[in-house]
Amino acid sequence: MSTVMFKTIEASDIPALMDIYNHFVMNSTASFHTEPVTITEFTESVIHPNSRFQTFVITLNGELQGYVQVMPHKKKQAYATTGEVTIYLQPGCVGKGIGSAAIQFIETFAKEQDFHSLISTICADNKPSIHMFSKNGYTQCAHFREVGFKWGKFLDIVTYQKII
């Protein structure tokens, strides 16, 4: 039986997770970075000084699969009850239930931290991510057209939201 586990990120996890992220930077539109991120940039994106905002390493049967995080949606105080959820998994993890397990895990954590609303911003081309969030109760609440430009084409983003 497969066991998906979550642990708080540690400094030793950062290089492997950065490699996963940079794979998507260089091979997809899942990230709007157009150049690989540095260790400093990646560390700043996964470690937050406020403990309400966390990144968790995802493993399946002890093997690193990726990460899930809840980070600030915006910096202004009135947004304090809204978190932005991001998930990046190893290539080839689609269809194993890891993403759904990660969403359920981060929602539980977010409730414990008094979040009310969670959002995820996704490239409109990223059908697997859209499907994963939709099947977990997130609904599309925004569609921004041609806000990114990568690999010679304009890209749309969609925002999905769930009140938890």
Side-chain angles (χ1 to χ4, degrees):
M1 175 148 191
S2 298
T3 304
V4 178
M5 302 289 293
F6 303 89
K7 72 172 188 97
T8 303
I9 193 171
E10 298 172 7
S12 60
D13 299 313
I14 290 175
L17 297 178
M18 183 182 74
D19 287 346
I20 292 170
Y21 181 76
N22 278 334
H23 168 82
F24 289 98
V25 169
M26 299 309 297
N27 297 289
S28 77
T29 56
S31 166
F32 276 28
H33 277 109
T34 58
E35 299 292 330
V37 296
T38 66
I39 196 84
T40 301
E41 290 170 317
F42 187 75
T43 300
E44 289 173 356
S45 75
V46 295
I47 305 292
H48 197 279
N50 183 332
S51 63
R52 286 184 73 225
F53 305 107
Q54 291 286 323
T55 300
F56 297 93
V57 176
I58 306 166
T59 60
L60 176 65
N61 300 326
E63 296 290 321
L64 180 82
Q65 300 298 306
Y67 66 96
V68 59
Q69 63 184 173
V70 61
M71 289 291 160
H73 170 60
K74 303 262 187 188
K75 290 183 179 181
K76 296 175 182 137
Q77 296 89 348
Y79 290 110
T81 59
T82 299
E84 177 109 18
V85 175
T86 301
I87 302 171
Y88 278 94
L89 300 173
Q90 292 272 16
C93 284
V94 175
K96 296 181 180 178
I98 299 168
S100 289
I103 288 173
Q104 292 161 16
F105 175 84
I106 206 69
E107 286 176 0
T108 299
F109 173 80
K111 286 177 188 176
E112 292 168 357
Q113 302 302 314
D114 295 323
F115 285 95
H116 174 72
S117 175
L118 295 177
I119 64 164
S120 184
T121 301
I122 307 165
C123 180
D125 292 351
N126 190 343
K127 302 303 180 199
S129 249
I130 291 169
H131 175 73
M132 178 185 63
F133 277 97
S134 294
K135 80 176 185 177
N136 283 282
Y138 288 69
T139 57
Q140 184 177 327
C141 60
H143 186 141
F144 298 96
R145 300 193 188 287
E146 299 184 3
V147 295
F149 188 80
K150 187 172 182 179
W151 298 332
K153 72 175 197 172
F154 285 100
L155 300 168
D156 295 0
I157 58 169
V158 290
T159 301
Y160 279 71
Q161 178 185 27
K162 183 175 183 180
I163 304 298
I164 57 170

